Amino acid sequence: RSFLGHSSYTTDRKSGEENQKTIQSLYELSVDVKKVRRLKEWVLLQDVAYVKEIAAILQEMGADETSVASILERCPEAILRTPAEINSQRTLWQLVCQNEKQMIKLIEQFPESFFTTKYHENQKANILFFQELGLKNNIITRFLTSAPNIFYNPAEKNKDVIETLQRSYLSLGGSDANMKIWIMKLLSQNPFILLNTSTAIQENLEFLQKNDFTDQEVLQLLSKLKGFIFQLTPTTMQKSMVFSKNAFKCNDQELKQLVLKCPALLYYSVPILEERLQGLLKEGISIAQIRETPMVLELTTQIVQYRIKKLSALGYDIKSGTLESLNGTKKDFEVNYGKIQSKKERPIFNPVAPLNIED
């Protein structure tokens, strides 16, 4: 993100000549200047920098010396922001942060999100819009730090996307009563949905309907894919569906059922699906087994290999059994693995068998 503020600050210095005053100020704050030089040397070339002022604001907010140094090392362009810009940003984040202690903690983790002041007015308008929408402040702070670019759009653009989603939800048979919960869940799972256009959202929904998914099934896919479906295009979805249809040798109706069972068949590109399918076949797993449990394609080849190896060590033959034991999250797998392990270790005891006791 070296473009942040880069164009705003020019230098009359000779090319490659650093601002010694800036460097001295950074040294005084125990900032690792070598690290700054390696990451974003252009910052050190600027005529104007506010090292002491920015450090003072951070300290006033509760940051200790180590925190200030860490923040400036990770986001050196912070020193090119004016104190006025930083104080405005501080006031803005106070709208959603519980206190300044929490704010400093977030700035330490995500300094670039805080020091991007270029879109201040859009950020403010979007925070107020999200609050009006009913999103809790802790969700908004998560958006600010992990998906800051959704705040760079004008609030009207984000509002337009939300209204399109609301209309789509109702037109697909969703109820007014559940709509707000559905939107909140979708946004909290995938805030990047707001980077799409209303047109793209409508095109993707129309593609699914043209492929004979019922309104209820489309809603089901939207929920299962956590909104990631809007980051696809009809072309990529079509290619993935054609690949799956050929790989599993199934008709349109059977393909639809496979996609509903495993939306990854729609979401992942052909090269990814092909690589994962080949990885499973190399392990001796049949197409019939994969077709029975397509969710296994949600896992990377490396994860599949690791899980097969662990199960094989227990004497579990994946080729002749079900793939269910491979499925799920890391936690799901560990639970399944534990059950198989304890079953194997449990001694076989027949309560009615005679006991051989030697005198």
Side-chain angles (χ1 to χ4, degrees):
R1 295 200 188 183
S2 58
F3 70 88
L4 301 180
H6 190 205
S7 57
S8 308
Y9 294 84
T10 55
T11 178
D12 296 326
R13 296 170 186 280
K14 291 174 188 173
S15 179
E17 194 179 322
E18 295 175 348
N19 186 330
Q20 292 307 312
K21 189 181 172 187
T22 299
I23 288 171
Q24 185 56 39
S25 298
L26 289 170
Y27 274 132
E28 286 169 14
L29 291 165
S30 304
V31 173
D32 185 343
V33 176
K34 283 182 184 174
K35 192 174 181 182
V36 174
R37 198 173 277 132
R38 193 169 61 249
L39 291 176
K40 293 175 182 175
E41 191 187 15
W42 60 267
V43 171
L44 302 175
L45 305 178
Q46 309 309 316
D47 278 338
V48 182
Y50 302 92
V51 184
K52 290 175 182 175
E53 293 89 338
I54 301 310
I57 293 171
L58 291 171
Q59 285 164 344
E60 196 182 299
M61 290 162 68
D64 59 22
E65 190 183 329
T66 309
S67 296
V68 171
S70 169
I71 290 166
L72 298 184
E73 281 168 12
R74 291 182 59 203
C75 185
E77 58 268 43
I79 64 172
L80 305 182
R81 306 287 172 256
T82 67
E85 285 173 326
I86 298 310
N87 279 320
S88 294
Q89 201 73 339
R90 179 181 177 180
T91 304
L92 185 64
W93 280 43
Q94 280 170 343
L95 293 173
V96 287
C97 289
Q98 294 167 5
N99 49 48
E100 293 205 320
K101 188 181 176 183
Q102 186 205 11
M103 202 191 300
I104 277 294
K105 201 175 176 183
L106 290 172
I107 295 169
E108 277 186 71
Q109 291 175 286
F110 308 95
E112 288 189 342
S113 299
F114 181 77
F115 290 107
T116 302
T117 58
K118 188 179 172 184
Y119 308 93
H120 183 81
E121 289 308 314
N122 282 356
Q123 287 182 47
K124 186 176 180 179
N126 277 307
I127 285 174
L128 296 174
F129 167 60
F130 290 140
Q131 286 177 330
E132 282 168 25
L133 199 62
L135 280 171
K136 292 182 178 175
N137 283 343
N138 64 322
I139 299 289
I140 300 173
T141 53
R142 184 156 62 80
F143 289 179
L144 269 173
T145 52
S146 59
N149 41 349
I150 68 170
F151 291 85
Y152 305 160
N153 287 330
E156 291 71 30
K157 194 265 178 192
N158 286 338
K159 195 175 182 180
D160 186 41
V161 172
I162 296 290
E163 284 172 355
T164 302
L165 289 169
Q166 288 171 331
R167 280 195 303 273
S168 302
Y169 180 76
L170 293 174
S171 70
L172 291 167
S175 69
D176 265 315
N178 292 331
M179 183 175 69
K180 188 177 178 181
I181 297 166
W182 183 77
I183 288 284
M184 295 297 160
K185 192 175 180 184
L186 205 60
L187 275 177
S188 60
Q189 287 173 329
N190 180 19
F192 296 105
I193 199 171
L194 292 168
L195 298 179
N196 296 292
T197 63
S198 303
T199 312
I201 289 171
Q202 285 163 336
E203 282 175 357
N204 285 358
L205 295 178
E206 282 166 15
F207 169 82
L208 294 172
Q209 288 168 319
K210 281 175 190 168
N211 278 274
D212 295 326
F213 286 93
T214 66
D215 288 351
Q216 194 56 44
E217 286 167 345
V218 173
L219 268 184
Q220 189 185 324
L221 280 173
L222 293 188
S223 300
K224 275 191 174 182
L225 278 167
K226 301 175 182 176
F228 287 111
I229 195 165
F230 299 124
Q231 286 164 235
L232 306 174
T233 66
T235 308
T236 58
M237 287 191 280
Q238 181 67 39
K239 284 178 181 173
S240 295
M241 285 177 76
V242 168
F243 171 79
S244 296
K245 189 177 178 180
N246 292 333
F248 292 111
K249 297 178 175 56
C250 57
N251 60 36
D252 290 343
Q253 189 55 35
E254 288 167 333
L255 176 64
K256 196 176 88 162
Q257 292 311 311
L258 280 172
V259 168
L260 288 169
K261 218 172 175 182
C262 175
L265 293 175
L266 203 61
Y267 178 69
Y268 288 121
S269 65
V270 170
I272 290 174
L273 289 173
E274 196 165 22
E275 184 212 335
R276 292 185 180 185
L277 196 65
Q278 288 304 319
L280 289 164
L281 295 175
K282 278 178 188 171
E283 294 294 335
I285 292 164
S286 68
I287 285 286
Q289 281 177 295
I290 302 167
R291 189 169 165 172
E292 191 63 35
T293 316
M295 296 78 75
V296 77
L297 289 166
E298 292 172 2
L299 304 169
T300 66
T301 305
Q302 289 78 8
I303 290 173
V304 168
Q305 287 170 341
Y306 167 77
R307 292 183 181 183
I308 289 175
K309 197 174 176 183
K310 279 197 84 172
L311 290 169
S312 298
L314 293 179
Y316 186 89
D317 184 12
I318 203 75
K319 295 171 201 171
S320 56
T322 170
L323 300 185
E324 287 294 336
S325 50
L326 283 179
N327 259 350
T329 61
K330 185 180 179 183
K331 192 178 176 183
D332 295 334
F333 174 72
E334 293 301 336
V335 169
N336 284 333
Y337 177 78
K339 284 177 185 172
I340 295 168
Q341 192 176 34
S342 60
K343 197 174 178 183
K344 179 180 167 63
E345 289 170 357
R346 197 180 299 129
I348 298 166
F349 172 66
N350 183 349
V352 295
L355 296 174
N356 294 322
I357 302 170
E358 291 181 10
D359 291 331

